[in-house]
Amino acid sequence: MRANTLKWLAYITCVGMMLVLLNGALVTKTGSGQGCGAEWPLCNGKFVPAYTIASMIEYSHRAVSGLVGILVLVLFIAVWRHVKERKDAWWYAFIAFIFTFIQAIMGALAVVLGQAPAVMALHYGFSLIAFAGTLLLSIVLNKWSRGLDDNAPAGVFVSERFRTATWIVTLYAYVVVYVGAFVRHTEAYGGCQGWPLCNGAIIPELHGTTLIAFIHRVAALVLFIAVAVLAHFAYHGHKQIRELRIIGVCALILCTAQILSGAWVVFTLGDENAGLFAGLFHTVLIAGLFGVLCYMSVRVWQMSKR
């Protein structure tokens, strides 16, 4: 298979995985999770469901997920057969494949056994890892098709301290994503009215949905500070590694936009259409941020090896 063909297959699969994330967020935001009843793979006992908004949204999510799952499988096989010299590409393809499979199984179980918020949040988290896998694979195959390597400039290395900090921030970002998904699946986003204050107070009365929403806000604030510090050291501490400086700036921009989009979600709680768009935009930004942090984690590992 030609390098360009494989690269574009990875691009299409990555975009498809983002659509899966968006479609899943749409299912949650519109309350369509039971649009097909407690049946899978059929929808209300039919292969083609009756035309209701909830059933069509849920069924479209299943259809898109199934199609993207096939693309991930084809991509995995193609990388395994044709990109033997890049072990990292094989690992990214494997990660995308295994987590796509796991999230599909969890989605089916959630429909049949009931949609517990903790399980659905984990379902989203696994989908995000699958997206990150396809994103990293797309970047690697783009480099491979252009004959580029992953080496840092001669004699330049990333310190173990910065590498460890990057890994910790990335892992913490995943935890924040899980908390945010839990907020969404428990419909706790209205627990904190107003922004940046929560119900008019710096620390509100912590109970029920307010507690869940406030924990997410605090976690997001800590993530912003961590990403800002990481971006600062990436930019000012690695002036000879242009790629690392660019990644740090992108991470900070995405994190800032993600927090502002979270505020937008709060301000549009009473507007169904604007609130839906804000929620989907928030999903895109957090997926982008996590993908960028995952790529940074890989690059600091590659650049710290001697």
Side-chain angles (χ1 to χ4, degrees):
M1 182 178 288
R2 293 177 56 188
N4 259 353
T5 302
L6 197 54
K7 175 184 69 176
W8 280 101
L9 177 60
Y11 289 170
I12 293 170
T13 305
C14 184
V15 172
M17 194 60 70
M18 175 61 79
L19 291 177
V20 170
L21 290 173
L22 286 173
N23 214 253
L26 180 63
V27 168
T28 302
K29 292 288 287 184
T30 57
S32 303
Q34 291 296 315
C36 286
E39 298 181 27
W40 191 94
L42 297 180
C43 183
N44 294 322
K46 299 179 180 179
F47 183 75
V48 178
Y51 182 76
T52 65
I53 298 298
S55 64
M56 293 305 293
I57 291 176
E58 168 64 15
Y59 199 69
S60 67
H61 179 48
R62 296 186 185 185
V64 171
S65 299
L67 179 59
V68 172
I70 294 172
L71 287 175
V72 170
L73 176 60
V74 171
L75 185 59
F76 171 68
I77 294 173
V79 169
W80 177 64
R81 292 188 59 186
H82 300 287
V83 197
K84 297 183 182 298
E85 67 271 28
R86 293 292 306 242
K87 291 184 178 180
D88 52 351
W90 188 91
W91 276 109
Y92 300 147
F94 177 75
I95 288 171
F97 171 71
I98 196 68
F99 278 97
T100 297
F101 179 77
I102 292 173
Q103 65 90 14
I105 294 298
M106 288 191 66
L109 290 176
V111 169
V112 175
L113 302 178
Q115 301 193 3
V119 174
M120 293 307 298
L122 197 58
H123 170 61
Y124 175 78
F126 286 155
S127 299
L128 193 61
I129 294 176
F131 166 75
T134 60
L135 178 63
L136 294 178
L137 181 59
S138 298
I139 295 172
V140 167
L141 292 180
N142 175 57
K143 289 184 177 181
W144 176 66
S145 68
R146 296 161 58 195
L148 302 176
D149 57 44
D150 293 318
N151 297 327
V156 177
F157 298 95
V158 173
S159 69
E160 290 187 12
R161 182 178 299 178
F162 184 77
R163 180 189 65 187
T164 302
T166 301
W167 291 353
I168 291 173
V169 172
T170 302
L171 180 61
Y172 178 69
Y174 186 74
V175 173
V176 175
V177 168
Y178 181 82
V179 175
F182 188 73
V183 169
R184 187 171 65 196
H185 287 288
T186 55
E187 298 184 355
Y189 29 73
C192 276
Q193 297 291 330
W195 191 92
L197 298 180
C198 178
N199 299 330
I202 297 177
I203 302 178
E205 294 184 13
L206 301 177
H207 56 81
T209 57
T210 300
L211 175 61
I212 298 173
F214 186 71
I215 289 175
H216 178 53
R217 288 197 181 189
V218 173
L221 176 61
V222 173
L223 176 61
F224 173 76
I225 295 171
V227 170
V229 172
L230 193 68
H232 171 80
F233 285 106
Y235 191 85
H236 295 286
H238 301 85
K239 295 184 178 180
Q240 292 176 290
I241 309 178
R242 182 173 179 270
E243 181 187 17
L244 202 55
R245 300 179 84 193
I246 293 174
I247 297 172
V249 171
C250 288
L252 181 58
I253 291 173
L254 286 169
C255 191
T256 303
Q258 183 261 340
I259 287 180
L260 293 176
S261 71
W264 188 17
V265 170
V266 173
F267 291 140
T268 56
L269 285 176
D271 188 327
E272 184 176 342
N273 293 324
L276 178 60
F277 185 78
L280 295 180
F281 188 56
H282 191 61
T283 298
V284 170
L285 290 173
I286 194 60
L289 173 62
F290 182 70
V292 167
L293 288 175
C294 285
Y295 182 60
M296 179 182 262
S297 297
V298 170
R299 294 301 284 135
V300 296
W301 174 69
Q302 292 171 334
M303 293 178 183
S304 64
K305 293 191 300 181
R306 296 180 181 273

